[in-house]
Amino acid sequence: MFKEFNLENLEDSKNQLEQLLTSSRKETNNLLEIENKTYKNFVTPYQEIGESISDFVTPIFHIDSVKNSETTRKVHEECLPIISKYETEISQNDNIYRALKDIQSKEKSTLTFIQNKVLENEIRDFKLSGSHLDDNKKKRLEELNLTLSELSHKFSQNLLDATNAFEMIIDNEEDVKEIPASDLELAKFEEEGITKYKFSLQIPSYLAYITYGTSREKREELYKAYCTRAPENGKIIEEILTLKNEKVKILGFDSYSQYSIETKMAKTEDEVISFLEELGHKGKDKAKEELEEIKAIAKEDGVNDFRSSDMAYYSEKLKKAKYDLDEEYYRPYFEQESVLNGFFNFLDQIFDVKFTLANTPAWDEKVRVYDLSSKNKTIARIYIDLEARSDKRGGAWMNNWHSHFDKSNGETQLPTAYIVCNFPQSTDTTPSLLRHSDVVTLFHEMGHALHHLLSEVKEPYVSGIAGVAWDTVEFPSQFLEYFSYDKEVLKLFAKHYETGEVLDDAAINRIINAKNFQSSLAMVRQIEFALFDFKLYQKLYKTEDDVQELLDSVRQEFAAMTPPSYNKFQNGFSHIFAGGYSAGYYSYKWAEVLSADAFYMFIDSENIFNKKLALKYKAAVLAQGGSKNMDELFYEFAQREPSVDSLLKIDGIIS
């Protein structure tokens, strides 16, 4: 039913991949020789060839992110040029492009809307890949795609290496006296009979000290190490920008941003810029007020020269003063296993989806694998890898492996996905105790996963998250996030891991009341990232200094506080330089309008567990994957257009 995760022959991946691609080329050529091509005899098997390659390649690239080693790096570097060359070769094959156009013109009226969407997307993507260009331009595009893939991987690897290379050792108890006990336990070690504490740039460790570390100098040291990681990435950024600019010019676009929105819900560059600027201007005054609140509490501590490295520490103190909210108090109530089980219970209650632990191999002993079922029928599988490790890339993400679709042999391929996070580690004596912010992250990534796993679409190229416009792909993840602040949802799993006591109403209310704490600061920060990203790709910025000047200009207009000059945020901005968000980071805010408005329907119904509404959302949005544009699916669900005001209300920016 499901393919097992098995990389026993990882080191032989290059040979296996070459054999698979040789076979795929042969199968594709056989399809092209069919005289009377139809959707059934050409498009269906063509998609299946693509899925078989994804089935093989996904675990190889995935393992390099979650279990990084010399071996995984070597295999990644061996396989990347091979798959990159193949993908470019296929995407530029004019014979396939013309076959798809011919099938579209002959069969459009007799095909389903889903089949027509497959053709529409594929024909568009072939154009964007340069299938219509001459051989010299195609050859150059192939070279550019390979080099860009290699640069992205190098960017990510540099960041991981820099993260693992730094450690800050503290042997003064005064400097760690405010650190939560569970974090301190993880940092603690003995050397020559002396108790010392080690803090790293891995997020759980970094957050522990930057948020609770007593020593201002140590916080500055850690902050500076974090935002100056991988300086060599500055030159990689120069190369990426130059090559992406060359690529889109070959394809006939004025800029990479113009090229990017061809596959987005947004229609023009101006629409994106004005959307971001409107939100930024609406949030900036309140963001400045929020910053002054933090500075005021720092002044009480004798800090008159407030720095960026003070932000997290005094924000935490302000949050505690305003809401009596101490993250550490909550962590015993958010034990990882309890959170998962309660979360699964909630998802079953609203979506009729059960999670059952599966006894199947994964890449680490801490990974949990679950089979999803509905109406007593197994429908999907998910791998959940939550704890931080030194061999794991930072951040949190969902990665799809298999898509739901009907095969030509009559079988149904069931979908699979991975969720990866970097939560506090469990030890022999202490389980993994999460912060509420970790719980929010888990809900977010599960939103992505359910969008992929609950698909009922029968065509793989528009099933699950496949074919979903990039600026709307965050809608289901952000939507599910909102439920992590609901009292009744939290009570399903917020139970003390030692006593079993359920978190009381007063404590939960403090979380809910604090939800919009510094929401304007958070919003203008996202606007800063999104505008920097989008404008960066509107024209060619050739040097590191040019890139920095652009970032500085965006900050001047929208940032509540300007970071120190040594801060090289861009060198760690892996979303746009090592991920899929180039000229698309605005997607988080764009999709948030949809997610906030959808969640408001549950608020207005006065029942967060409104199963009828949840099943309507499941059927209209999750089940349909990328088979329709998201604005159409949102309208099917809500019976109206989305409103920006819902987002501003839900964030407490307007009343």
Side-chain angles (χ1 to χ4, degrees):
M1 188 182 296
F2 295 105
K3 182 175 180 178
E4 287 195 342
F5 190 94
N6 184 343
L7 290 175
E8 286 178 6
N9 298 317
L10 181 65
E11 293 183 54
D12 190 44
S13 296
K14 179 188 173 187
N15 293 330
Q16 294 177 56
L17 179 59
E18 285 175 334
Q19 289 170 18
L20 174 63
L21 297 184
T22 298
S23 171
S24 298
R25 285 184 179 96
K26 187 177 177 183
E27 288 175 48
T28 303
N29 288 333
N30 288 342
L31 292 179
L32 287 168
E33 286 173 12
I34 296 171
E35 203 163 310
N36 182 26
K37 298 179 185 68
T38 64
Y39 192 96
K40 187 176 181 181
N41 70 20
F42 184 85
V43 182
T44 297
Y46 167 73
Q47 290 183 87
E48 289 188 19
I49 293 168
E51 286 299 300
S52 69
I53 294 167
S54 176
D55 170 18
F56 179 79
V57 169
T58 300
I60 294 170
F61 287 0
H62 174 71
I63 200 71
D64 192 53
S65 297
V66 294
K67 211 74 178 165
N68 187 269
S69 67
E70 289 298 324
T71 301
T72 67
R73 287 188 207 187
K74 180 173 178 286
V75 169
H76 190 290
E77 286 165 9
E78 286 176 345
C79 291
L80 184 62
I82 298 169
I83 190 64
S84 181
K85 179 180 171 65
Y86 175 84
E87 286 174 347
T88 302
E89 176 189 311
I90 291 295
S91 66
Q92 293 181 352
N93 188 316
D94 196 43
N95 292 325
I96 300 175
Y97 173 57
R98 283 190 280 114
L100 294 171
K101 286 190 75 175
D102 184 51
I103 292 166
Q104 184 186 52
S105 66
K106 285 191 307 185
E107 298 188 40
K108 188 168 187 176
S109 62
T110 59
L111 296 174
T112 66
F113 74 88
I114 295 177
Q115 292 169 329
N116 274 311
K117 180 66 172 167
V118 171
L119 286 171
E120 178 190 315
N121 286 1
E122 284 301 294
I123 289 166
R124 174 202 66 198
D125 291 347
F126 268 91
K127 283 182 186 173
L128 293 176
S129 298
S131 63
H132 57 294
L133 300 174
D134 63 47
D135 288 345
N136 287 336
K137 287 179 179 176
K138 284 182 178 179
K139 179 67 178 168
R140 181 58 185 150
L141 282 174
E142 181 184 329
E143 292 166 357
L144 289 169
N145 288 335
L146 173 57
T147 306
L148 283 166
S149 295
E150 290 171 343
L151 287 170
S152 290
H153 183 246
K154 184 65 176 166
F155 185 100
S156 186
Q157 192 64 57
N158 287 344
L159 206 53
L160 179 62
D161 290 346
T163 299
N164 289 335
F166 177 87
E167 55 184 41
M168 182 175 75
I169 307 297
I170 295 176
D171 56 12
N172 184 349
E173 294 286 342
E174 274 296 302
D175 292 345
V176 297
K177 65 183 181 183
E178 297 174 75
I179 306 276
S182 53
D183 286 321
L184 208 55
E185 188 60 33
L186 288 172
K188 187 176 175 181
F189 70 101
E190 298 287 327
E191 189 174 68
E192 296 175 358
I194 300 170
T195 299
K196 296 182 181 181
Y197 303 92
K198 179 171 73 176
F199 294 92
S200 72
L201 299 182
Q202 286 183 35
I203 284 298
S205 181
Y206 174 79
L207 286 178
Y209 203 86
I210 206 73
T211 310
Y212 301 101
T214 309
S215 167
R216 197 177 181 214
E217 288 66 35
K218 293 292 185 186
R219 293 199 305 271
E220 175 83 19
E221 180 187 339
L222 194 66
Y223 171 85
K224 187 171 185 178
Y226 189 81
C227 62
T228 57
R229 288 177 301 165
E232 63 273 32
N233 278 353
K235 290 298 174 193
I236 290 180
I237 290 171
E238 289 181 355
E239 288 186 73
I240 288 173
L241 295 176
T242 300
L243 297 183
K244 282 190 172 176
N245 184 67
E246 183 186 348
K247 172 180 173 175
V248 297
K249 290 289 170 65
I250 291 172
L251 291 168
F253 293 93
D254 294 332
S255 69
Y256 193 87
S257 290
Q258 188 185 67
Y259 163 81
S260 171
I261 61 171
E262 285 289 306
T263 54
K264 308 288 196 296
M265 183 175 154
K267 298 294 182 281
T268 67
E269 293 172 80
D270 287 345
E271 189 180 2
V272 173
I273 296 289
S274 59
F275 166 74
L276 292 171
E277 288 182 343
E278 180 190 355
L279 286 179
H281 287 132
K282 283 182 175 176
K284 189 175 179 182
D285 287 345
K286 193 165 182 190
K288 285 188 167 180
E289 289 173 20
E290 290 172 355
L291 178 62
E292 289 307 312
E293 275 191 301
I294 306 168
K295 287 182 174 179
I297 205 163
K299 271 188 179 173
E300 292 173 15
D301 220 9
V303 174
N304 296 308
D305 60 330
F306 190 79
R307 308 170 191 157
S308 294
S309 54
D310 296 319
M311 186 78 86
Y313 181 76
Y314 287 107
S315 288
E316 185 63 24
K317 285 192 177 299
L318 178 62
K319 188 191 275 190
K320 197 168 188 312
K322 283 185 82 166
Y323 305 104
D324 191 24
L325 192 72
D326 179 1
E327 282 265 30
E328 183 60 16
Y329 170 80
Y330 291 91
R331 286 178 62 183
Y333 291 91
F334 294 132
E335 186 270 321
Q336 184 190 123
E337 192 163 338
S338 174
V339 170
L340 276 175
N341 291 335
F343 188 19
F344 295 156
N345 181 6
F346 164 67
L347 294 173
D348 190 23
Q349 285 190 50
I350 65 165
F351 290 139
D352 275 341
V353 177
K354 284 187 165 53
F355 288 73
T356 306
L357 198 62
N359 182 21
T360 188
W363 52 90
D364 188 272
E365 61 181 14
K366 298 281 182 75
V367 178
R368 300 289 192 89
V369 187
Y370 297 89
D371 288 343
L372 281 64
S373 61
S374 185
K375 297 173 184 171
N376 296 317
K377 183 181 175 185
T378 301
I379 56 170
R381 172 169 283 181
I382 188 166
Y383 294 74
I384 300 180
D385 183 0
L386 298 182
E387 297 182 26
R389 292 188 298 273
S390 61
D391 56 4
K392 189 191 214 179
R393 179 160 63 84
W397 66 93
M398 187 284 291
N399 197 6
N400 51 306
W401 185 11
H402 300 102
S403 295
H404 173 277
F405 70 98
D406 284 357
K407 296 181 179 181
S408 52
N409 65 6
E411 293 177 10
T412 297
Q413 169 70 62
L414 298 183
T416 57
Y418 318 130
I419 284 180
V420 183
C421 299
N422 274 274
F423 296 162
Q425 293 163 296
S426 55
T427 67
D428 291 340
T429 55
T430 311
S432 175
L433 304 178
L434 312 187
R435 297 173 176 85
H436 181 256
S437 55
D438 296 327
V439 175
V440 176
T441 297
L442 177 62
F443 273 61
H444 179 100
E445 299 308 334
M446 184 61 80
H448 280 307
L450 293 181
H451 192 194
H452 189 69
L453 299 175
L454 299 187
S455 175
E456 294 177 5
V457 179
K458 296 179 179 181
E459 303 289 330
Y461 279 15
V462 290
S463 182
I465 63 168
V468 177
W470 201 256
D471 52 3
T472 59
V473 80
E474 296 293 334
F475 165 27
S477 53
Q478 292 165 338
F479 168 73
L480 200 58
E481 254 188 60
Y482 288 121
F483 289 92
S484 64
Y485 285 93
D486 180 77
K487 184 183 292 186
E488 298 310 312
V489 174
L490 287 171
K491 282 188 171 184
L492 292 174
F493 54 77
K495 299 170 185 176
H496 198 286
Y497 79 100
E498 290 176 321
T499 66
E501 173 197 8
V502 177
L503 193 61
D504 62 64
D505 284 0
I508 292 176
N509 285 336
R510 290 198 292 273
I511 290 177
I512 296 168
N513 293 337
K515 175 185 174 289
N516 289 330
F517 176 66
Q518 298 180 353
S519 60
S520 294
L521 273 172
M523 185 173 83
V524 295
R525 186 165 162 78
Q526 286 297 99
I527 296 301
E528 175 191 317
F529 297 166
L531 274 172
F532 165 66
D533 162 54
F534 202 76
K535 289 186 173 186
L536 184 65
Y537 288 105
Q538 284 193 299
K539 66 177 190 178
L540 178 57
Y541 291 86
K542 292 184 177 178
T543 68
E544 290 185 72
D545 288 342
D546 291 341
V547 172
Q548 187 65 53
E549 281 175 25
L550 172 65
L551 182 53
D552 291 345
S553 70
V554 172
R555 283 173 171 163
Q556 191 173 358
E557 187 172 359
F558 293 101
M561 180 173 176
T562 305
S565 58
Y566 64 69
N567 181 309
K568 297 295 178 187
F569 156 77
Q570 60 271 34
N571 292 344
F573 199 2
S574 54
H575 273 79
I576 71 167
F577 298 122
Y581 283 86
S582 303
Y585 195 81
Y586 77 88
S587 304
Y588 282 99
K589 279 294 161 200
W590 189 273
E592 218 172 325
V593 172
L594 303 175
S595 56
D597 214 20
F599 186 70
Y600 243 94
M601 294 175 67
F602 285 79
I603 294 173
D604 289 342
S605 79
E606 299 182 351
N607 177 14
I608 291 298
F609 287 81
N610 188 327
K611 189 165 189 172
K612 183 179 178 184
L613 193 57
L615 290 176
K616 186 181 179 187
Y617 167 80
K618 179 185 174 185
V621 178
L622 301 181
Q624 297 202 51
S627 64
K628 288 184 183 178
N629 293 334
M630 193 62 82
D631 51 350
E632 294 177 65
L633 297 181
F634 184 89
Y635 195 89
E636 279 183 28
F637 169 59
Q639 294 300 298
R640 57 172 172 74
E641 304 294 333
S643 163
V644 174
D645 284 354
S646 293
L647 172 59
L648 297 173
K649 281 182 194 171
I650 220 162
D651 282 351
I653 294 167
I654 63 171
S655 55

